[in-house]
Amino acid sequence: MNQPMEPLEGAPLIAPSSTDHPLYDQIVEACRSVYDPEIPVNIYELGLVYTIDISAENEVRIIMTLTAPGCPVAGEMPGWIADAIEPIAGVKQVDVELTWEPPWGMDMMSDEARLELGFM
């Protein structure tokens, strides 16, 4: 009776971000200040930040992934993101959630990241 619900066909694999919220651009810039220590590109351009959800009360929920489950900074990177976002004026709370679905792939990188890493 309590079966887990299957995702609806056509539902996005990555939840949409709160792009129309006034704090969105500042939060993106804060995410851009955090770098993967093994790759000389920030985590936002790498495509590791899947969702930036900002509530009406300015509570921020970040859903992110890592390049690989065995990433040596897996336990630290969510804290780095929270530390980068918390000082933004108006932000009440920051929660960072790691997910492995969908798995990260090189196709998630921005053109800027691809250029920086020599893939373009």
Side-chain angles (χ1 to χ4, degrees):
M1 190 132 235
N2 289 334
Q3 298 283 334
M5 291 186 59
E6 289 292 318
L8 295 175
E9 186 173 331
L13 293 175
I14 297 173
S17 292
S18 304
T19 56
D20 57 345
H21 194 284
L23 291 174
Y24 179 78
D25 290 336
Q26 293 175 69
I27 291 169
V28 167
E29 285 309 309
C31 290
R32 284 187 172 127
S33 73
V34 178
Y35 282 74
D36 184 313
E38 297 178 326
I39 306 170
V41 176
N42 71 68
I43 63 160
Y44 188 82
E45 298 303 332
L46 279 175
L48 298 181
V49 176
Y50 284 175
T51 303
I52 299 171
D53 183 32
I54 312 163
S55 75
E57 293 78 31
N58 295 345
E59 297 164 337
V60 179
R61 180 171 168 244
I62 303 291
I63 301 173
M64 67 171 293
T65 194
L66 301 172
T67 55
C71 178
V73 294
E76 299 172 56
M77 199 174 291
W80 297 346
I81 295 287
D83 290 346
I85 296 170
E86 285 171 347
I88 296 171
V91 169
K92 301 282 189 264
Q93 175 183 332
V94 180
D95 291 311
V96 181
E97 175 186 328
L98 277 178
T99 186
W100 305 110
E101 292 298 324
W104 180 84
M106 292 178 66
D107 59 325
M108 295 176 165
M109 290 191 289
S110 70
D111 287 345
E112 181 179 308
R114 291 172 202 268
L115 189 61
E116 181 74 29
L117 296 172
F119 295 126
M120 284 181 72

